[in-house]
Amino acid sequence: MSNAKENDKSISVIIVTYNAADTLQACLDSIYRQTYPKLQIIVMDGASVDGTIDILKANSNRITFWKTEPDKGIYHAMNKALNHVKTDWIYFIGADDELLPEFSAMAAQLDNTNCIYYGNVLVQNEKNGGPTNALTHTMHNICQQAMIYPAWVFKKYRYDTTYPIAADYALNIRCWADKSLEFCYQDLTIANYNHTGISSVIKDERFEKDRLKLVFRYHGFKMWRKLITRRWKEIRQSRKI
């Protein structure tokens, strides 16, 4: 990969929806308010029945592509949406989340297509995020709404839909191990993240079962051992408390 040219810095903003009529317009309006001009909106709807389709129709002149049909879950819908990307950068936002002004500042800094850029999000009006490393990431995922990916990543990888809630975490573990990629932190708060979404309130039991196996496969024995040691220390500490 090479540095992105100025005229190639368009970003596809992907929204996956299902019965999101209560929040979708606010999400779209937050995208419209961005000062960064090169945003293309892609919406993949899972056959909503609550008025979501009416909102999409009303906004169709500002949405690059949208489609409604049944899907097999969030990440299946995201994988379908990726088939319609024509930009060099990709960002995912929930229909109940909103972009903040610093998203445009981060977008303007996208100059290296070997980088997955990530910043911070607001959670209940508090800044959440910060720089991380491979070991820390094996314990805690980066919020998906804090990340902007070079599009080629999704030509190489797709979301593993066997993980219904944490497929983005599984993907990021693979990306950490990819020698052609690096994670580039920007201290910018780019989205207001709704902490009541499914990924925040329900654990992905399949992913939790496979986490150590994924770390061993993509990071090797040393990182796997560090993760085991760190988990054991946290368990001992919690028992002391």
Side-chain angles (χ1 to χ4, degrees):
M1 300 301 116
S2 61
N3 285 351
K5 297 178 182 178
E6 182 65 28
N7 61 1
D8 292 335
K9 291 168 63 175
S10 295
I11 305 171
S12 289
V13 179
I14 294 177
I15 311 171
V16 169
T17 59
Y18 180 68
N19 290 345
D22 290 343
T23 59
L24 178 57
Q25 189 61 58
C27 177
L28 291 170
D29 288 342
S30 76
I31 300 171
Y32 302 155
R33 287 194 296 269
Q34 295 301 307
T35 58
Y36 191 79
K38 300 177 181 180
L39 303 180
Q40 297 184 16
I41 302 171
I42 297 174
V43 184
M44 190 62 64
D45 180 73
S48 293
V49 295
D50 70 336
T52 297
I53 306 306
D54 292 332
I55 294 172
L56 292 174
K57 289 178 179 177
N59 288 269
S60 60
N61 63 323
R62 304 188 73 172
I63 297 174
T64 304
F65 176 88
W66 71 271
K67 187 174 185 179
T68 181
E69 63 183 11
D71 58 52
K72 299 176 183 178
I74 296 170
Y75 295 104
H76 178 237
M78 287 182 177
N79 281 338
K80 290 195 297 180
L82 288 165
N83 295 331
H84 302 281
V85 168
K86 296 180 180 179
T87 60
D88 282 344
W89 298 91
I90 296 173
Y91 175 78
F92 296 91
I93 187 169
D96 53 358
D97 304 318
E98 296 181 20
L99 288 186
L100 298 174
E102 287 190 344
F103 178 87
S104 288
M106 188 168 177
Q109 297 182 30
L110 303 176
D111 59 4
N112 185 349
T113 56
N114 292 326
C115 277
I116 296 174
Y117 288 83
Y118 68 103
N120 315 302
V121 296
L122 285 184
V123 180
Q124 293 183 290
N125 295 317
E126 292 188 4
K127 179 179 173 181
N128 182 278
T132 189
N133 56 45
L135 176 59
T136 302
H137 186 258
T138 63
M139 297 292 294
H140 307 287
N141 192 23
I142 301 169
C143 180
Q144 188 174 39
Q145 285 80 348
M147 308 178 73
I148 302 177
Y149 293 86
W152 69 263
V153 168
F154 294 101
K155 294 178 181 178
K156 188 173 184 178
Y157 307 115
R158 286 295 174 103
Y159 289 114
D160 184 344
T161 57
T162 61
Y163 303 119
I165 299 171
D168 60 307
Y169 199 169
L171 174 76
N172 289 337
I173 288 175
R174 296 182 71 180
C175 289
W176 272 106
D178 191 323
K179 295 188 182 343
S180 61
L181 276 170
E182 59 182 310
F183 283 67
C184 303
Y185 175 68
Q186 306 290 317
D187 190 10
L188 296 166
T189 303
I190 66 174
N192 189 3
Y193 174 65
N194 183 354
H195 69 289
T196 63
I198 186 171
S199 62
S200 299
V201 298
I202 300 176
K203 278 191 175 183
D204 190 326
E205 298 296 338
R206 175 66 182 272
F207 173 79
E208 293 303 325
K209 181 180 178 182
D210 289 352
R211 186 201 295 246
L212 288 172
K213 179 177 69 176
L214 290 168
V215 170
F216 185 88
R217 178 178 178 183
Y218 294 110
H219 290 278
F221 173 75
K222 288 184 178 180
M223 190 65 71
W224 176 84
R225 185 174 61 184
K226 286 180 180 179
L227 176 58
I228 291 287
T229 302
R230 184 164 178 169
R231 277 188 163 185
W232 176 241
K233 286 181 179 178
E234 289 187 355
I235 290 171
R236 291 182 64 185
Q237 185 64 31
S238 65
R239 286 176 177 173
K240 289 180 182 179
I241 295 171

